[in-house]
Amino acid sequence: MLVVDQKSLSPAEISPVRPALEGVVAYRPGMTLAQAGRLAGRTDLAKLASNENLLGCSPRVADAVLAALASPEIYPDPYCETLRAAIGARLAVDPARIVMTPGSEALIDYLFRAVLHPGDSVLLSSPTFPAYEIFARCAEARFIDVPRRPGFDLDVEAFKREAAKGPKLIVLCTPNNPTGNALSGVDLGEILAVTPRSTVVLVDEAYREYHDAFDTLDLLKAWGGTWVSGRTFSKAYGLAGLRVGYGICSSAQLVGYLDRLRPLFNVTALSQAAALAAWDDQEHLARTVALTIAERGRVETALDVLGVERTASAANFVFLRSPAGAEATAARLLREGLIVRPTPVPGGWVRITIGRPADNDRLIAALPAALAV
Ligand SMILES: *Cc1c(COP(=O)(O)O)cnc(C)c1O
């Protein structure tokens, strides 16, 4: 209920918002460095809670942003033409089928608002990224949840059974946040094969750069319905603070609908310049991705030596079960200056982002005590 100071108002008057919002639990972000610093009483912090790329973005980004800063009085290009052309050229996609968004979270919001009517069904597989539930609830949709199997792989057969019934929207996150599991091309192809073309398919590929095992776009195109592949500059490209994501859509018409409901100038000029510079520096991307994957292996080996249960992550984080419980482990690591993400997944599951090598050294050193019962 909305809090107001006029006590004489009736319940209807004090809650002018849509009732659907009463059922929405706001996303709980990871701690900021400032919050963690206050709690831990130290400044040597490693932020391993939000899957940012701590190796940083391309060094070309700073110059591009400074150049864009020369004319802050001018509105940005509302259609991000240069950026979409660059993305389209490398991916061999018509730029008319690409929509740029202030982070791919906004893409999820736009798509859900564009296609979901109250009462429509959204098929997903938990545990997964909380934004789907938040935006689906805002749109007054219903959920069909096909829980993941032990080990958190998608239950492909159960998912196919639900997909075949033709829900309004299907969300597949691969690699999946927070569990790290990736879907295989074969499994995605089988799911699409049974999905009616009246269903809208969102494949969230926020971590695609860490695992480009197969061509999602080919599979989606071959399926032939309405679909979006969601991607972002926030993770491997290292630009989370500048908010740039994009959707590759099944048609220019779909982009046109998203253009109608999105704020027109939603990606700032600085963000567009930064994303273009990052996109053009694929060597940097390849280097950071390779280093992250190598470092992930080092952290995984340390976990295995400790006998800790974990998933086979295909992204820039590990997902592990703490015998001490998720909250206790996160609190202990915070005292060591390491911010990690306890999750509500039953059993004590914690998500930890792969940081710089020195961050990972600290993590590996702190893990035995942090996980001990
Ligand atoms: C981080 C993340 C996003 C979105 O991040 P943006 O910063 O909004 O681009 C989307 N989906 C998943 C699964 C993510 O982990």
Side-chain angles (χ1 to χ4, degrees), residues 3 7 29 54 69 84-85 103-104 115 123 132 144 155 171 204 212 218 222 267 319 322 329 359 367:
V3 179
K7 300 231 164 39
L54 298 193
L69 206 45
R84 285 163 68 218
S104 60
V115 306
L123 172 60
Y132 315 132
I144 305 161
D155 186 338
V171 185
D204 186 337
D212 56 354
D218 264 0
V267 183
F319 190 61
S322 167
T329 291
D359 302 322
L367 275 173

Side-chain angles (χ1 to χ4, degrees), residues 25-345:
V25 180
Y27 183 65
R28 212 177 120 225
M31 251 178 249
T32 63
L33 282 167
Q35 289 165 337
R38 279 194 296 275
L39 268 172
R42 53 197 296 168
T43 52
D44 59 337
L45 298 162
K47 193 167 181 290
L48 308 178
S50 300
N51 300 342
E52 293 134 329
N53 180 358
L54 298 193
L55 299 165
C57 66
S58 160
R60 298 185 199 169
V61 166
D63 285 345
V65 169
L66 275 179
L69 206 45
S71 40
E73 72 282 8
I74 305 298
Y75 277 109
D77 173 358
Y79 294 101
C80 304
E81 300 285 3
T82 312
L83 188 50
R84 285 163 68 218
I87 292 171
R90 178 163 305 126
L91 300 182
V93 170
D94 179 358
R97 286 178 36 221
I98 299 173
V99 60
M100 301 303 307
T101 59
S104 60
E105 219 185 3
L107 174 74
I108 301 165
D109 177 27
Y110 299 168
L111 178 68
F112 284 22
R113 281 199 279 142
V115 306
L116 293 175
H117 301 253
D120 275 349
S121 51
V122 173
L123 172 60
L124 43 68
S125 187
S126 67
T128 189
F129 191 49
Y132 315 132
E133 176 167 347
I134 292 172
F135 292 127
R137 281 193 190 282
C138 289
E140 301 179 48
R142 292 179 295 120
F143 289 98
I144 305 161
D145 183 10
V146 175
R148 287 170 177 266
R149 305 161 65 86
F152 305 104
D153 277 330
L154 194 74
D155 186 338
V156 176
E157 290 309 315
F159 200 89
K160 277 163 61 180
R161 278 195 295 278
E162 291 301 330
K165 295 177 190 165
K168 181 59 183 281
L169 182 84
I170 286 180
V171 185
L172 288 165
C173 182
T174 181
N176 183 53
N177 180 7
T179 67
N181 306 58
L183 199 59
S184 75
V186 171
D187 288 343
L188 177 57
E190 283 186 11
I191 291 166
L192 291 172
V194 301
T195 303
R197 281 198 278 270
S198 52
T199 293
V200 179
V201 174
L202 169 64
V203 183
D204 186 337
E205 302 191 83
Y207 301 96
R208 169 168 191 92
E209 292 79 10
Y210 298 102
H211 184 77
D212 56 354
F214 58 91
D215 191 336
T216 338
L217 303 182
D218 264 0
L219 290 171
L220 289 163
K221 217 156 93 185
W223 168 61
T226 301
W227 54 264
V228 177
S229 160
R231 303 186 180 189
T232 182
F233 283 88
S234 295
K235 305 287 160 57
Y237 284 96
L239 293 179
L242 288 176
R243 315 302 305 126
V244 191
Y246 58 105
I248 302 165
C249 299
S250 48
S251 68
Q253 284 91 328
L254 180 56
V255 172
Y257 285 116
L258 302 181
D259 281 342
R260 289 183 200 182
L261 57 70
R262 70 177 171 89
L264 195 57
F265 301 104
N266 58 351
V267 183
T268 73
L270 304 191
S271 301
Q272 292 185 37
L276 185 63
W279 183 257
D280 282 342
D281 194 350
Q282 293 290 314
E283 294 82 18
H284 178 83
L285 179 79
R287 260 198 314 278
T288 59
V289 165
L291 181 53
T292 302
I293 291 174
E295 287 288 301
R296 186 182 70 205
R298 208 157 65 82
V299 172
E300 286 173 343
T301 301
L303 291 170
D304 292 348
V305 167
L306 293 171
V308 175
E309 202 181 328
R310 64 167 176 87
T311 60
S313 173
N316 66 339
F317 54 85
V318 289
F319 190 61
L320 59 108
R321 200 181 73 75
S322 167
E327 296 290 340
T329 291
R332 290 176 193 167
L333 288 173
L334 182 59
R335 284 199 288 277
E336 303 300 320
L338 303 167
I339 316 168
V340 304
R341 185 71 71 99
T343 77
V345 177

